[in-house]
């Protein structure tokens, strides 16, 4: 795959050790929890808005870019809502990114938004009712912004999951090297929100009824 040109990196990306990361296994699933460093000046309401307004454009580095390409200026490739209408629970998404700008670490997933509000945003990849991958993002208000915790679950406890899908999830969606690369990528993209989301949210709040 030809990667889009990298966008200018206007702010340092957060390092891996800025977050607390724990990984465990349970009934053939892998559970990853990432406690990000606090997001300053970012509120839960801003995050709820963001997860329903990622498609679109914004001013960045003196020109106009797709918001998704700004979110991670090196790794992100495309983000498409494949169901019509307002983005929210039930919306299907096609997400493509190359972790570390490495084509061999391509993440190409079709997922569905299950929940999005001022407390959490949850997206899931399901097959025949079983969860192949679930990403749960939790937000909690603080005095200066918010606390953000991510829970990634690879696999499911269903019979189909234990017999077949969990192995597929671990071998194809998130083999060990790709999971390690994704953790770093996710810490970088979440940390980057505090650099542009407050201004973007205020800009659109002033213009939307």
């Amino acid at each position: 795959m030809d990667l889009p040109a990298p966008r200018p990196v206007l702010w340092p990306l957060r390092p891996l050790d800025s977050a607390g990361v724990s990984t465990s296994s349970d009934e053939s699933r892998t559970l990853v929890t990432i406690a990000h460093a606090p997001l300053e000046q970012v509120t839960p309401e801003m995050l709820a808005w963001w997860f329903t307004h990622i498609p679109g454009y914004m001013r960045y580095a003196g020109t106009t870019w797709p918001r998704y390409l700004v979110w991670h200026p090196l790794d992100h490739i495309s983000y498409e809502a494949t169901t019509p209408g307002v983005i929210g629970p039930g919306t299907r998404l096609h997400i493509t990114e190359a972790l570390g700008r490495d084509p061999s670490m391509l993440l190409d997933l079709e997922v569905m938004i299950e929940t999005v509000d001022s407390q959490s945003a949850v997206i899931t990849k399901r097959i025949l009712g079983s969860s192949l991958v679930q990403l749960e993002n939790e937000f909690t208000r603080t005095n200066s912004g918010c606390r953000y915790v991510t829970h990634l679950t690879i696999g499911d406890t269903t019979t189909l999951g234990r017999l077949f899908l969990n192995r597929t999830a671990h071998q194809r969606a998130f083999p060990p090297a790709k999971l390690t690369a994704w953790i770093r990528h996710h810490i970088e993209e979440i940390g980057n929100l505090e650099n542009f989301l407050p201004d973007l949210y205020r800009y659109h709040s002033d213009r939307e009824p």
Side-chain angles (χ1 to χ4, degrees):
M1 168 172 282
D2 292 330
L3 302 182
R7 283 66 68 193
V9 181
L10 301 188
W11 311 284
L13 298 175
R14 283 186 176 180
L16 181 64
D17 62 7
S18 68
V21 180
S22 63
T23 304
S24 62
S25 298
D26 173 27
E27 296 187 27
S28 78
R29 300 180 303 166
T30 297
L31 314 172
V32 179
T33 298
I34 304 174
H36 300 270
L39 297 177
E40 299 298 327
Q41 306 304 314
V42 175
T43 66
E45 289 77 16
M46 292 179 189
L47 292 167
W49 179 88
W50 172 248
F51 281 105
T52 57
H53 291 81
I54 295 173
Y57 293 84
M58 61 179 286
R59 293 291 297 175
Y60 177 75
T63 188
T64 300
W65 294 92
R67 295 171 192 164
Y68 187 66
L69 297 188
V70 173
W71 189 10
H72 196 297
L74 301 178
D75 296 358
H76 283 177
I77 298 173
S78 65
Y79 183 102
E80 179 187 6
T82 58
T83 48
V86 176
I87 294 177
T91 298
R92 295 187 179 277
L93 306 169
H94 184 194
I95 299 171
T96 312
E97 49 198 36
L99 308 175
R101 290 192 61 80
D102 182 349
S104 71
M105 293 291 174
L106 185 68
L107 193 62
D108 188 344
L109 287 175
E110 294 183 2
V111 299
M112 184 178 72
I113 298 176
E114 297 206 347
T115 301
V116 58
D117 55 32
S118 60
Q119 295 179 313
S120 66
V122 181
I123 64 171
T124 306
K125 168 68 174 179
R126 292 189 181 277
I127 297 179
L128 299 175
S130 294
S131 172
L132 197 70
V133 177
Q134 182 174 78
L135 181 65
E136 181 179 4
N137 306 275
E138 296 181 344
F139 332 127
T140 306
R141 189 184 308 276
T142 66
N143 291 334
S144 60
C146 78
R147 183 178 300 110
Y148 194 119
V149 179
T150 301
H151 303 281
L152 174 68
T153 303
I154 305 169
D156 206 338
T157 58
T158 62
T159 300
L160 184 61
R162 292 195 302 269
L163 291 178
F164 172 69
L165 288 180
N166 293 1
R167 187 182 307 112
T168 299
H170 286 88
Q171 292 177 350
R172 297 185 63 181
F174 279 107
K178 187 177 286 188
L179 178 58
T180 298
W182 178 85
I183 290 170
R184 176 182 294 277
H185 165 90
H186 188 63
I187 291 170
E188 292 172 347
E189 68 180 354
I190 297 306
N192 201 30
L193 288 171
E194 71 177 8
N195 295 313
F196 68 85
L197 181 55
D199 287 342
L200 180 67
Y201 178 79
R202 283 190 289 267
Y203 175 84
H204 284 276
S205 295
D206 291 344
R207 285 159 178 77
E208 294 175 357

